[in-house]
Amino acid sequence: MPADAQHTLAAAATLEGTSLHTGGKVTLTLKPAPENHGFKFRRVDIPDEPFIDADVDKVQTVERATTLAEGSVKVHTVEHVLSALCGLGVDNAIIEMDSNEPPIGDGSSKPFVELIKKAGIVAQQAARKTWEVREPIHHECGDGSLLTIVPSKTFRVSVTNVGPDGRFAQYFSSEVTPEIYETEIAPARTFVYYEDVKPLLEKGLIKGGSLENAVVVRGDQVMSKEPVRYDNEFARHKALDLIGDLMLSGKRILGHVICVKPGHGPNTQLAAIIKREYSRMRSLAAPFEIPSGEAVLDINDILKILPHRYPFLMVDRIIDFEGDTKCTGVKNVTVNEPFFPGHFPDHPIMPGVLQLEAMAQVSSIVMLRKPENVGKIGYFMSADKVKWRRPVLPGDTLYIEAEMTRSRGQIGTARCRCLVNGETASEAELKFALVDK
């Protein structure tokens, strides 16, 4: 399945069981959802069957589990099912329940992984939205929890679990792919320290808890219906929870998430920071109806990629990437451009050949963004089907779209167009080669 496409379930699938905290019987059904839908919970036991978005803004409580609320409607312990969906590469799904909490199963996300595999996963037409974190993000809590995201070309988690009095300090680190998630993360079970059991029961929690769906730690001993599944099972389960909680940000990320003493509170606080930082990044883009994509490069970033300099740099900002093949740039055309005094000075018009150059520069960025092409230069080879449809004047904002239609080795072909106010000003099919400096 193409990794750069959104995915949903191929069919509906149902799981029945007992919930951990409320102790009630529950039937959960996973259903397919359309592109750009994300994850939504649906309470089918309530009149009108209301939805609750899997959104960090809906987080109400985080004690021993993550609870979402929309008005008086709640869903508890959402992290395991969200973790399984994210871990297996699902982007869009409806999670229907006839109670307020998913079944706990064996305390891991393995039952949900099996349910997702039973339903099947299919690719959709829209590109997957993945945000590459390019600057470190750090969050620190007063209880000693530390969470940091550093740049990485993959999604990776590194978790250190530290229990009371330093007991059961464990470490787990791994890239997160569907294959790794299924075998190395999903089977890790939830756990509780014996001294916390009575206070949790007094608060009306873990009513459905047992040694069949949780590991209980008493002193330095582990009580369980079966042996520990990994030497570092607790750290792996913390990673499982972290993956589910971070999906409440609404964004898949490329980054290395490093955590010491994570928990649902710190996790969801980090998810809120991710959502806020992503919104800040998107605010750098000029208002424009563009396809949903996930990156912005300012002029300083562009200068690091392209060899062009004033007065021949024809791109001010990259405002969008869609997958690995499509890119949108912006050129703000002003009356002070150096070509206007000599190009129809009494009726200034941006030369068509410079629009063609702007298309070529944006096309180059698409290919130069790939790690194997860093440091190379894009050379024009040919321009076909070139058309100029309307003049570009001082004061216009030129949006330059480039979509790679073919790439073989160092040769690429791109379909491009320049737009002003949503109207096509020029278009062309370009071929160029990447060469070493």
Side-chain angles (χ1 to χ4, degrees):
M1 294 185 293
D4 58 348
Q6 292 183 33
H7 290 75
T8 190
L9 303 168
T14 298
L15 176 68
E16 298 179 349
T18 302
S19 58
L20 173 61
H21 290 297
T22 59
K25 297 295 182 181
V26 57
T27 299
L28 178 145
T29 302
L30 297 179
K31 291 186 174 182
E35 298 168 352
N36 303 313
H37 180 277
F39 301 130
K40 297 181 187 292
F41 290 86
R42 191 176 196 183
R43 290 285 302 276
V44 296
D45 58 321
I46 296 177
D48 298 328
E49 300 183 348
F51 286 92
I52 301 179
D53 292 342
D55 189 316
V56 69
D57 293 341
K58 308 295 182 184
V59 172
Q60 185 181 65
T61 59
V62 288
E63 185 170 14
R64 309 301 300 193
T66 300
T67 296
L68 306 179
E70 182 73 68
S72 61
V73 181
K74 300 178 182 178
V75 287
H76 306 281
T77 321
V78 301
E79 60 274 8
H80 291 183
V81 63
L82 291 178
S83 181
L85 288 165
C86 174
L88 289 193
V90 178
D91 301 281
N92 304 299
I94 297 172
I95 308 156
E96 289 189 350
M97 299 188 297
D98 62 2
S99 184
N100 61 6
E101 187 179 6
I104 187 59
D106 63 355
S108 73
S109 65
K110 185 177 179 181
F112 298 115
V113 167
E114 294 171 348
L115 186 66
I116 293 166
K117 295 184 71 175
K118 177 182 176 183
I121 303 173
V122 294
Q124 298 174 287
Q125 292 297 316
R128 170 171 285 166
K129 302 177 181 180
T130 304
W131 178 38
E132 182 176 335
V133 176
R134 301 174 61 235
E135 296 181 357
I137 297 173
H138 181 71
H139 179 60
E140 186 171 345
C141 301
D143 62 358
S145 297
L146 302 173
L147 300 92
T148 297
I149 307 176
V150 296
S152 173
K153 293 296 182 181
T154 63
F155 177 42
R156 186 178 186 89
V157 294
S158 295
V159 175
T160 300
N161 175 72
V162 182
D165 304 318
R167 286 179 291 158
F168 290 91
Q170 298 178 357
Y171 176 74
F172 173 73
S173 180
S174 175
E175 182 182 348
V176 181
T177 66
E179 297 76 18
I180 292 173
Y181 182 87
E182 180 179 354
T183 59
E184 303 299 325
I185 299 174
R189 297 163 295 169
T190 192
F191 61 97
V192 63
Y193 293 94
Y194 183 80
E195 57 267 32
D196 293 335
V197 171
K198 184 177 178 181
L200 290 171
L201 288 171
E202 290 173 347
K203 293 179 180 179
L205 301 175
I206 64 170
K207 293 179 180 178
S210 71
L211 292 180
E212 294 180 349
N213 55 38
V215 178
V216 178
V217 180
R218 186 171 187 177
D220 293 326
Q221 301 298 314
V222 172
M223 296 186 292
S224 172
K225 282 288 186 180
E226 62 175 276
V228 293
R229 294 176 177 176
Y230 309 95
D231 291 340
N232 58 351
E233 185 171 1
F234 298 168
R236 291 176 189 244
H237 186 80
K238 288 290 188 179
L240 184 159
D241 284 344
L242 175 70
I243 293 166
D245 285 335
L246 291 187
M247 272 312 298
L248 295 173
S249 68
K251 306 312 307 175
R252 285 184 177 273
I253 65 169
L254 296 180
H256 186 177
V257 187
I258 305 168
C259 303
V260 177
K261 294 184 65 177
H264 296 298
N267 295 351
T268 53
Q269 290 165 19
L270 183 61
I273 294 172
I274 291 172
K275 183 176 181 179
R276 183 175 70 245
E277 288 300 303
Y278 173 80
S279 297
R280 184 185 66 82
M281 182 273 291
R282 289 300 308 166
S283 71
L284 298 176
F288 182 58
E289 290 294 325
I290 55 176
S292 53
E294 303 307 312
V296 170
L297 305 179
D298 63 19
I299 188 63
N300 293 315
D301 296 319
I302 292 171
L303 290 171
K304 295 175 184 177
I305 299 172
L306 295 178
H308 307 78
R309 294 296 182 265
Y310 176 86
F312 220 71
L313 181 59
M314 294 293 150
V315 188
D316 295 329
R317 178 168 288 175
I318 296 297
I319 62 169
D320 204 70
F321 285 102
E322 187 174 345
D324 292 329
T325 60
K326 192 171 182 179
C327 178
T328 302
V330 171
K331 164 67 176 174
N332 294 300
V333 183
T334 75
V335 75
N336 296 317
E337 301 288 352
F339 46 77
F340 280 138
H343 192 260
F344 301 169
D346 295 328
H347 184 64
I349 295 175
M350 182 179 183
V353 291
L354 295 185
Q355 297 173 44
L356 199 63
E357 176 63 25
M359 297 182 211
Q361 291 180 15
V362 174
S363 300
S364 294
I365 288 175
V366 179
M367 287 195 72
L368 292 172
R369 190 171 179 239
K370 296 182 179 181
E372 63 268 27
N373 294 332
V374 171
K376 295 183 178 180
I377 298 176
Y379 281 174
F380 241 144
M381 292 183 67
S382 67
D384 296 315
K385 299 181 181 178
V386 181
K387 294 182 176 66
W388 287 278
R389 300 190 178 278
R390 56 152 290 173
V392 177
L393 308 175
D396 284 343
T397 299
L398 195 66
Y399 291 88
I400 310 128
E401 293 182 351
E403 182 176 9
M404 299 302 303
T405 56
R406 187 177 182 185
S407 178
R408 176 178 293 180
Q410 304 303 309
I411 306 297
T413 303
R415 183 169 53 244
C416 308
R417 62 175 181 164
C418 292
L419 299 99
V420 175
N421 295 326
E423 297 182 4
T424 301
S426 56
E427 58 187 319
E429 292 184 5
L430 308 181
K431 182 182 288 187
F432 52 95
L434 295 180
V435 299
D436 294 327
K437 290 184 180 180

